[in-house]
Amino acid sequence: MVVRLRLSRKGTRNNPFYHLVAINDSKPRDARPIEKLGEYDPIPRPVTAARLPNPSLGPAPGYGAVMTTGIAQQQAEPTLQKRLEWNENRIKHWLQLGAQPSKPVARLLDRAGLIPEGVHYKGIYRPPPAELQFQTDKNSNRS
């Protein structure tokens, strides 16, 4: 049984989000997974207090804090972020067991630094080291 780490699409039309799952390779995209490893929202959305990693709200307004009118401050540009939450320990566990990530998942894992050096999956481009590239150029000039 080949296990893959891939994205399972959820959400509505024109508003997708994905679950990162470990699933049997022969199963359909949205089939029941072996394990859900995380969530990925590819649509940049405004950052709210509920989406912050560790919100510290401080004292309630009027109790030792500065009183304001209650009208929200207008920002020139709201901060837009894609949301990515996953369990790094479980992802590393599945990779050690031999699970193969799909191309989009491999790119996400590579950007996060979860793929060790020397391991190559489809979908990841890493240029060859400079000394290796120099040697191949040198050999091609001999012909």
Side-chain angles (χ1 to χ4, degrees), residues 64-92:
V66 177
M67 291 294 290
T68 63
T69 61
I71 299 173
Q73 298 277 335
Q74 298 258 342
Q75 292 182 350
E77 293 182 28
T79 305
L80 299 177
Q81 289 183 350
K82 297 179 181 183
R83 187 173 63 92
L84 179 61
E85 297 176 6
W86 56 29
N87 187 340
E88 291 183 16
N89 294 332
R90 295 304 296 167
I91 291 172
K92 289 178 183 177

Side-chain angles (χ1 to χ4, degrees), residues 2-49:
V2 177
V3 175
R4 287 183 85 55
L5 302 181
R6 63 184 187 198
L7 297 173
S8 174
R9 189 180 197 279
K10 306 292 179 188
T12 59
R13 183 176 58 170
N14 296 330
N15 193 18
F17 70 92
Y18 299 91
H19 288 175
L20 177 64
V21 296
I23 192 168
N24 186 347
D25 188 34
S26 62
K27 297 278 187 183
R29 180 189 70 189
D30 296 332
R32 185 170 178 224
I34 300 170
E35 182 178 2
K36 178 182 165 190
L37 303 171
E39 295 179 359
Y40 172 57
D41 187 0
I43 311 271
R45 301 183 195 278
V47 177
T48 61

